[in-house]
Amino acid sequence: MTMENPQVRGWIDAKTAAERLGVKPATLYAYVSRGVLRRKHAPDGRRSLFDAAQVEELARRGKPRRPPGPGELAIESAITALGADRPFYRGRDALAMAETRTFEDAATWLWTGRDEDPGAWRAREDGVAAAVAAQSGLPAGLLPLDRLQLIVTALAATDPLRHHLDPEGVTATGRALVAGLIEALPPAGGTPGTGRVAERLWGRLCPHPPEPGGLPRAFEAAMILLADHELAASTVAVRVAASVRADPYAVVASGLGVLSGPLHGGASYGAERLIAEVADPASASRALGERLRAGERVPGFGHGVYKSGDGRGTLLMDLIRSAAPGHERLAAAEAVLDEAARRRLPPPNIDFALATLGAVAGLVPGAGEAIFAVARTAGWLAHALEEYGRRGPLRPRAVYVGPPPS
């Protein structure tokens, strides 16, 4: 039986329903034929109307899943559902969580599905010392994500409990791992934070101490919004690693390697560089025009899931606007948005909002990738926990198209 939202009643036309669901009008009629939506004819007999409450429920729940097609791998999971414009963590609206909860709350919810004390998030001192020492020969100016890939390996080498794959062991490792990833990063110049996870990460990525509310709240909201996103490319790699019982550190290392790609977590760095090129709002046209003329993909725009707009990016941009009205770097980002709309580019996504946060807060280069990586560690470990509870390894099969074996 369909659960109806009592705040949404009546019937709406096809255009309104399609926009709310982020689908083409033809898809609405496919939903009707499959029994997913109810339809009736308008009194004039020329239009179709759709049950508004049912459309709203479908938008919140996500598009009905079809059977996997060629080249697709279907994995059952109870962690994250993708709605029309946002993810839901174990049934909870990630955007609502981002406005009111801490990153520790969100991670604990992803790992356990329970509202409970998130516990102490402390790194192993010997692990942090080893990770800091391992970075001693690295070149100056290395981006934070490159450091994180080395740090996770050093943390693993010093943890004798890393092979404990029971739920309590994995969540304890997760708290220490996230704290270690942060504490082993070099401070950005200010005093490293000692409070919540988001405050500590701020101190490693921003040379200025956080002020109460404002941008630090947007920073923590970004971490919650990025904590998981169903079976993104890095999460598939993580689940494959966990399915063969790789330890949590190896699982996170697998995710970090995939996350660095410019079509995944690395997209925020591309958007960061785009905004940096816009010295003043008038130069936004040139910055976008040069990329489009060269046939390049404009980073920070469009999304493979949210065709009508990424609600995560919308919320994060609103938090930044509220925290820093009139900021010159925000004005540059707004100019890029205006120019992108004028050129009919797809809507902006969370990568663009993350780059805007970095520009307005004065974060170090590549900070968006680091926020993404540390935050997504929570989701990766939630997926690892599911795989540890299964019996066998994930084994995708290839469709061989090469020469006949001889």
Side-chain angles (χ1 to χ4, degrees):
M1 185 175 72
T2 301
M3 297 291 293
E4 295 192 358
N5 182 342
Q7 303 301 319
V8 183
R9 299 184 183 279
W11 298 80
I12 55 179
D13 60 23
K15 181 176 183 295
T16 303
E19 289 178 350
R20 179 66 185 98
L21 294 173
V23 300
K24 297 179 180 179
T27 304
L28 294 175
Y29 299 98
Y31 288 170
V32 171
S33 66
R34 292 160 55 187
V36 174
L37 284 180
R38 287 193 296 271
R39 177 185 68 149
K40 73 175 185 178
H41 292 291
D44 59 17
R46 293 183 298 217
R47 294 179 300 142
S48 291
L49 299 177
F50 298 85
D51 187 320
Q54 205 174 39
V55 168
E56 183 65 20
E57 180 64 25
L58 180 57
R60 293 180 62 84
R61 191 173 68 241
K63 300 175 185 178
R65 288 294 186 184
R66 56 173 173 76
E72 293 182 328
L73 174 66
I75 300 173
E76 290 187 353
S77 175
I79 297 170
T80 297
L82 301 182
D85 68 344
R86 67 192 65 191
F88 293 81
Y89 299 158
R90 296 191 184 276
R92 289 185 176 175
D93 186 335
L95 272 63
M97 294 183 73
E99 292 189 272
T100 60
R101 309 302 289 266
T102 67
F103 171 75
E104 291 91 328
D105 291 336
T108 302
W109 177 252
L110 284 168
W111 293 342
T112 69
R114 298 188 298 272
D115 285 316
E116 58 186 37
D117 184 347
W121 293 61
R122 298 192 185 96
R124 291 177 55 89
E125 292 183 6
D126 56 346
V128 173
V132 171
Q135 299 174 70
S136 61
L138 296 179
L142 200 65
L143 295 180
L145 183 57
D146 297 323
R147 293 181 177 274
L148 290 173
Q149 295 184 64
L150 179 60
I151 289 169
V152 72
T153 302
L155 293 175
T158 57
D159 187 353
L161 304 179
R162 66 183 182 275
H163 298 297
H164 289 210
L165 305 186
D166 58 286
E168 292 77 14
V170 173
T171 54
T173 296
R175 292 191 292 269
L177 196 164
V178 169
L181 288 173
I182 295 170
E183 291 177 27
L185 284 172
T191 302
T194 58
R196 297 204 307 262
V197 165
E199 294 171 1
R200 297 183 220 173
L201 184 57
W202 175 286
R204 304 290 166 166
L205 301 177
C206 185
H208 313 293
E211 298 179 0
L215 288 173
R217 178 62 246 176
F219 187 101
E220 184 153 28
M223 294 188 70
I224 295 171
L225 294 169
L226 289 164
D228 193 53
H229 205 244
E230 200 222 44
L231 293 183
S234 58
T235 305
V236 173
V238 157
R239 292 194 74 124
V240 171
S243 77
V244 295
R245 303 303 181 264
D247 67 70
Y249 295 92
V251 160
V252 171
S254 300
L256 288 172
V258 178
L259 185 79
S260 63
L263 299 184
H264 193 12
S268 68
Y269 183 57
E272 180 183 309
R273 295 176 65 188
L274 170 62
I275 295 173
E277 289 179 21
V278 181
D280 56 76
S283 58
S285 178
R286 176 190 55 76
L288 263 69
E290 288 181 353
R291 283 172 169 78
L292 293 172
R293 193 175 302 114
E296 298 176 7
R297 179 176 179 272
V298 179
F301 291 87
H303 198 282
V305 176
Y306 308 127
K307 302 299 184 183
S308 297
D310 184 346
R312 301 171 302 166
T314 300
L315 173 62
L316 186 53
M317 285 298 299
D318 287 344
L319 291 173
I320 297 167
R321 291 180 180 115
S322 176
H327 194 285
E328 62 175 15
R329 289 292 82 203
L330 177 59
E334 299 282 18
V336 173
L337 291 176
D338 291 343
E339 184 63 22
R342 189 179 74 83
R343 293 174 180 266
R344 299 183 180 178
L345 267 62
N349 56 38
I350 194 168
D351 297 312
F352 185 85
L354 195 57
T356 302
L357 174 63
V360 174
L363 305 184
V364 300
E369 292 179 318
I371 295 169
F372 199 142
V374 174
R376 187 58 57 88
T377 296
W380 289 336
L381 292 177
H383 286 271
L385 281 162
E386 279 195 336
E387 286 301 328
Y388 290 149
R390 300 180 193 271
R391 291 187 176 180
L394 289 173
R395 180 62 169 87
R397 295 300 305 275
V399 178
Y400 182 71
V401 296
S406 58

